[in-house]
Amino acid sequence: MEKNIAVIWGDCSSPEIVKQTIRVLDKVAEKYGHTFHYTDAAMGGEAIDKYGDPLPQHELDKCLAADSVLLGAVGGPKWEGLPGEQRPEKGLLRLRAGMGLYSNNRPAKIWPQLAPASPLKPEIVAQGIDFIIVRELIGGVYFGNHETHTLASGEKQAIDSMPYAEHEIERIGRIGFETARKRRKKLCCVDKANVLDTSRLWRSVMHRLQAEYPDVEYSEMFVDNCAMQIVKNPAQFDVIVTENMFGDILSDEASMITGSIGMIPSSSLGDGTRGLYEPIHGSAPDIAGKDIVNPTACILSAAMMLRYSFGMAEEADAIETAVNKVLDKGLRTADNMSEGCTCLGCTAMGDAILAEI
Ligand SMILES: NC(=O)C1=CN([C@@H]2O[C@H](COP(=O)(O)OP(=O)(O)OC[C@H]3O[C@@H](n4cnc5c(N)ncnc54)[C@H](O)[C@@H]3O)[C@@H](O)[C@H]2O)C=CC1
Ligand SMILES: CC(C)CC(=O)C(=O)O
Ligand SMILES: [Mg+2]
């Protein structure tokens, strides 16, 4: 098959992991007889530097014309001082909205070989860590009004609103129920309904949907309790459905209990098959340019692209099996290293995964 992939190289450590990911995709294309056409698209800091805009229309158009988009991450200290609308991260938000990607799926599944890298007690890990966070991606406070006023007192006041309409909740709620139905049939809606009207609206929509999924065990949990339960008893979770900011925060926490944020991929989809595939982590500026960054999360994100957007399940399996074999051999990167293992750099980890495909 021929597929067009828009590649956003990203900022700081991101080009290092995207390079290894392209190597893996090319190996898969060679082995399975596919042709992947790559179109570079600038977004984030790179786009600001080139065009003065974190996502120019012509770069968004490249992404909309592709079969899917591969992204590392954007942002970094160089652009920290910019106003919100001009920051690299705003380009990412505009990309997600521009592509209509309302469903961000973030797995939290531990590779058994990485149990020693988890900060949790072995007996907690042994009970199993295998859940997925279904995060609403283009609503809520990341997309609400942002205002800064000067009060009568002369001091400034900033306000960020968190809007959610019923249709926005219903479409992600359905993804949550459908995902749970294909897994262990447990869905937990995580919110702050004891404080927020948006959360109370979430619950009213979820209760309406619940009637359509009698086979799914549905529950609700306040987000602060969930943050604690993820470390106390992660085995209780199968699918978590939650709003944008809560999902952003909980998924980073969930990644750590599986051994490292450097291992967790994500898919972002809307109503079609064109998706955005990116690791859940950021641009890791603190380790940029040192060949330290773990490319695995980005490589596994590409595997998700093959599986969910291209219908290439066998090819996706080949990548995931290669990662498993690398871990079996005791090969690690600095972020998930443990005693008795061999620590590789970014490029060497790419080499190791390539060798197993
Ligand atoms: N999707 C995206 O483009 C995202 C971008 N960001 C941006 O990234 C920049 C840095 O943000 P941080 O809060 O530091 O988050 P971060 O996820 O980039 O880094 C957090 C910590 O995890 C480590 N880390 C992250 N990914 C790693 C990997 N693959 N291998 C090894 N270590 C890894 C970093 O070295 C750092 O110590 C900021 O500009 C932020 O806005 C943050 C999150 C997502
Ligand atoms: C930088 C944010 C806009 C995105 C983020 O943190 C995430 O999607 O994980
Ligand atoms: Mg995040």
Side-chain angles (χ1 to χ4, degrees), residues 119-163:
L120 297 186
K121 292 178 182 175
E123 56 266 32
I124 299 288
V125 176
Q127 292 171 23
I129 303 174
D130 179 7
F131 60 96
I132 187 165
I133 294 175
V134 176
R135 170 197 180 191
E136 196 288 323
L137 193 64
I138 53 177
V141 73
Y142 291 8
F143 291 86
N145 289 329
H146 309 292
E147 301 168 354
T148 301
H149 304 289
T150 301
L151 301 176
S153 63
E155 64 179 342
K156 290 190 184 303
Q157 181 192 58
I159 302 172
D160 297 295
S161 67
M162 182 193 261

Side-chain angles (χ1 to χ4, degrees), residues 16-17 20-21 262 293-300 333 345-346 349-350 353:
E16 298 174 68
I17 61 177
Q20 299 312 313
T21 304
V293 63
N294 185 349
T296 309
C298 196
I299 290 168
L300 291 172
T333 41
C346 179
M349 179 52 76
I353 293 170

Side-chain angles (χ1 to χ4, degrees), residues 96 106 135 142 245 247-249 251-252 261 279-282:
R96 291 168 172 173
R106 299 188 159 196
R135 170 197 180 191
Y142 291 8
M245 183 164 67
D248 185 12
I249 295 166
S251 54
D252 269 28
I261 195 169
I280 74 161
H281 59 70

Side-chain angles (χ1 to χ4, degrees), residues 291-352:
D291 195 36
I292 295 175
V293 63
N294 185 349
T296 309
C298 196
I299 290 168
L300 291 172
S301 299
M304 292 179 95
M305 175 173 68
L306 299 180
R307 189 182 305 281
Y308 298 122
S309 285
F310 297 173
M312 297 178 182
E314 186 180 344
E315 294 83 341
D317 288 346
I319 294 175
E320 292 166 5
T321 300
V323 169
N324 197 49
K325 288 177 179 174
V326 164
L327 294 174
D328 275 344
K329 290 184 173 180
L331 304 177
R332 302 289 186 273
T333 41
D335 55 298
N336 58 18
M337 182 62 187
S338 50
E339 193 175 341
C341 292
T342 303
C343 189
L344 302 180
C346 179
T347 305
M349 179 52 76
D351 292 339

